[in-house]
Amino acid sequence: MLLSQKPVEDLTVAEAEEELARLAAEIAEHDRRYHEEDAPTISDAEYDALRQRNQAIENRFPELTRTDSPSLRVGSQVSEKFEKVRHAVPMLSLDNTFSEEGVAEFADRVRRFLRLSAETAIPMTAEPKIDGLSLSLRYENGRLVHAATRGDGFVGENVTPNARTISDIPNRLKGDAPDVLEVRGEVYMRHDDFAELNRRNGEAGKQTFANPRNAAAGSLRQLDPSVTTERPLRFFAYAWGEVSQMPAATQHGMLQAFERFGFAVNPLTRLLDSVGALIAHYRSIEERRASLGYDIDGVVYKVDDIVLQGRLGFVSRSPRWAIAHKFAAEKGITVVRDIELNVGRTGTLNPLAKLAPVTVGGVVVTNATLHNEDYIAGLDSKGRPIREGRDIRIGDTVVIQRAGDVIPQILDVLIDKRPADAQPWKMPERCPACGSHAVREDGEAVRRCTGGLICSAQAVERIKHFVSRNAMDIEGFGEKYAQFLFDEGLLRTPADIFTLREKAAELKSAVFRRREALAAAREQASGAKRKASLREEDRNFRDVENLLAAIEERRRVPFARFVFALGIRHVGETNAKRLARFYVSFANLRESISQAVPPQGKGDPGNAQWQELNAVGGIGGTVAEALVEFFREPHNLDVVDRLTKEVTVEDEEAGGPVSSPVAGKTVVFTGALERMSRDEAKSMAERLGAKVSGSVSKKTDLVVAGPGAGSKLKQASEFGVEVIDEDGWFTLVGA
């Protein structure tokens, strides 16, 4: 029997290793023929079968996964420098205007060129101009062949494997798509996804991005597609390149066709027939700009009739039939008065520029983020120059930019205005709050204080996090009370919050002194704004009894909220919920993680508790290590012990209906599911109250196995775990 015909479960280690080598070479050759030569020699079904067998063998023998494995790449291999792609139709730029008069002049130019009267209506589409990265997607016979960046307009970078990771980009088109279709659009990142990415990266000491566009561009240009997979990229389709047969005769019709083929198009696009209507739509979008959830920098108008587009043609590197009506830039010029350091709750030293007040986009700006010491020095995360290597110094005149509610950033330094006494700024090697050493570990972009729980800044930040809305949600506590109570010596750890009732007299006395000081300051203050600010601060310290009552209301707390409130590195709300669903009770989580032993060397998988922790869906090695470190630190355990004496951590309730046959059970999905994706399967199981694990153990209740199931199926047999197929799953849950 040929190895390729032998069941995967019957392969020996040596046979598996031999076949993986053969499959890697064979699939790579087929990729080369398909992507580089456009001359495939096997059918799609045959190709898919090869990849499925490769995956099945790797599932059973994960230790044999090769560095050149087809499972680690999609399409042709990404080289150290991206392969270049010549656009069949150039990707040219748009002309732009910043005024309503410019829009009217554009319409007049179109009429003059086409020799139309001033009364002739020219329908145009108006769509938001997404601030992202342009991408061209080439489909042949409905299948994505390659994806390329704009580049210089004629030659772009091949980013096909990365583009395949974006959920908005279909690998195969729906419906009656032309044999050849190049769809063009914008890769972008939503504000909430961008903030979460920067939060995760900041806590992990990785690169943080200046804005969503940079994040999207950097993510799409990763050499390792697995990194792009972790980045929440999205795509709007709005144009086309080469098309073998046009599916519509208008711009608007093409967008409708893109939707039929499986693409997302911007829902704010409109078909309008007058300059007045275009301007009105522009104003409407501008008013909604801050609430869209993604960055736009204007509105693009395009002549709708494709025949007229052809007649209008191009001038230089821009089409005559389109123009971008840009928003006024939210930028300003000011002076850096000082550079301060804030210490985050995980010990990160975060530099902040204190600015001479300047109005940008209708808002008075006095602070700007400086990201990290490299950014201040004029370097990116890889040590390459940014701003042409210009560093930022106290006294510098700088260009700042504000985007929505995001803290402003410094774009550039005006060197010709730099004062003679300006000195380069250097990150201190000691924490400004506690004096402990501040170190920057290899591979990290940030410097951290090593003071831990003895660092006052970290202690206060941890308390602020603990009482915040998405954690314990203690009403009325806020940042001012956290700092105030710490300064008064009434609060050192989160556990102290629940003993404040015992110190009520001392607390009320401290609050009275604080209010007296505020009243005196208000008497001496000049200016209505300053007086109002002091009066508002006074109100924040009035209701001591209300604060104590709010604390009492939080003596019962849901499992996930409590874990999130602890401020464990890498454990945000999502991971806290995952842990709660898996372990059900905080006691179970603490006991299991306290006993977890990570791998001690190559080939060591760690003990059972470590494997169980890593089996929690979405919890990887980095998060697992952070959890183990937290529950092994005596100071942390002391705080947790004190907290659990004061509060009751409620067990996690099953999320599914009581009648669900899988409620409370641990389920593992393995193999190639055919009726649903792995994500859909997980979501369904969790809705029914089940816990989904990534590995099989003695605690597993059920394994759902599809074609190609390997090592997990064998483990299920060894542990005596029930195994059903996909049809059996749907029968079981009654779907």
Side-chain angles (χ1 to χ4, degrees), residues 555-574:
R555 286 193 180 271
R556 295 189 67 86
V557 57
F559 183 177
R561 275 184 176 267
F562 184 74
V563 172
F564 175 61
L566 291 177
I568 303 169
R569 195 176 178 196
H570 303 304
V571 180
E573 291 179 77
T574 299

Side-chain angles (χ1 to χ4, degrees), residues 70-84:
S71 67
L72 300 179
R73 55 182 169 80
V74 183
S76 57
Q77 185 176 358
V78 178
S79 62
E80 185 175 344
K81 292 184 178 179
F82 289 109
E83 176 189 355
K84 304 304 180 186

Side-chain angles (χ1 to χ4, degrees), residues 691-713:
K691 295 178 290 184
V692 180
S693 176
S695 63
V696 178
S697 70
K698 292 180 180 179
K699 295 185 178 181
T700 304
D701 297 298
L702 180 66
V703 170
V704 181
S711 58
K712 293 177 184 177
L713 197 58

Side-chain angles (χ1 to χ4, degrees), residues 136-296:
S136 181
L137 307 165
R138 184 178 177 87
Y139 290 83
E140 295 180 0
N141 299 317
R143 180 170 175 172
L144 179 62
V145 174
H146 66 235
T149 60
R150 181 195 299 274
D152 64 1
F154 299 93
V155 177
E157 298 169 326
N158 186 341
V159 292
T160 310
N162 296 344
R164 291 184 191 276
T165 70
I166 301 174
S167 59
D168 288 342
I169 295 177
N171 191 46
R172 295 177 185 273
L173 299 179
K174 300 177 182 178
D176 55 345
D179 292 340
V180 175
L181 174 65
E182 287 185 354
V183 176
R184 292 174 176 176
E186 206 82 0
V187 174
Y188 69 102
M189 191 177 290
R190 290 185 57 85
H191 293 159
D192 50 359
D193 291 332
F194 168 74
E196 175 62 14
L197 173 63
N198 263 359
R199 185 194 65 77
R200 292 198 313 265
N201 282 4
E203 291 185 354
K206 297 179 180 178
Q207 174 192 8
T208 55
F209 296 94
N211 54 59
R213 188 200 179 282
N214 286 5
S219 300
L220 189 63
R221 289 187 170 123
Q222 290 290 321
L223 293 176
D224 181 359
S226 67
V227 176
T228 310
T229 302
E230 299 172 356
R231 307 282 176 82
L233 298 180
R234 298 169 186 255
F235 180 80
F236 276 133
Y238 56 67
W240 59 93
E242 183 180 8
V243 182
S244 59
Q245 184 176 359
M246 295 292 289
T250 63
Q251 178 78 30
H252 195 255
M254 288 295 290
L255 296 181
Q256 293 174 325
F258 290 161
E259 285 190 291
R260 293 198 307 272
F261 300 155
F263 291 96
V265 301
N266 197 287
L268 296 179
T269 301
R270 298 288 183 272
L271 178 59
L272 305 167
D273 60 4
S274 70
V275 169
L278 294 177
I279 298 300
H281 190 50
Y282 170 92
R283 291 173 179 168
S284 173
I285 290 177
E286 188 174 32
E287 291 175 357
R288 300 170 60 180
R289 181 183 181 186
S291 63
L292 294 180
Y294 50 86
D295 285 342
I296 62 174

Side-chain angles (χ1 to χ4, degrees), residues 52-66:
Q52 288 171 6
R53 182 166 178 83
N54 184 86
Q55 188 63 62
I57 297 173
E58 289 181 351
N59 288 342
R60 185 176 176 220
F61 302 98
E63 71 279 6
L64 298 181
T65 301
R66 300 167 56 89

Side-chain angles (χ1 to χ4, degrees), residues 512-571:
F512 177 79
R513 291 194 303 272
R514 176 61 174 166
R515 291 184 58 202
E516 287 289 299
L518 289 171
R522 193 165 62 248
E523 286 293 324
Q524 298 177 4
S526 60
K529 287 187 178 180
R530 176 61 177 156
K531 290 179 183 292
S533 174
L534 289 166
R535 189 175 292 108
E536 178 63 26
E537 190 172 351
D538 184 15
R539 280 196 290 269
N540 289 338
F541 288 98
R542 285 179 181 273
D543 301 321
V544 173
E545 283 300 325
N546 287 347
L547 176 67
L548 294 174
I551 292 171
E552 291 302 311
E553 290 179 1
R554 291 296 180 266
R555 286 193 180 271
R556 295 189 67 86
V557 57
F559 183 177
R561 275 184 176 267
F562 184 74
V563 172
F564 175 61
L566 291 177
I568 303 169
R569 195 176 178 196
H570 303 304
V571 180

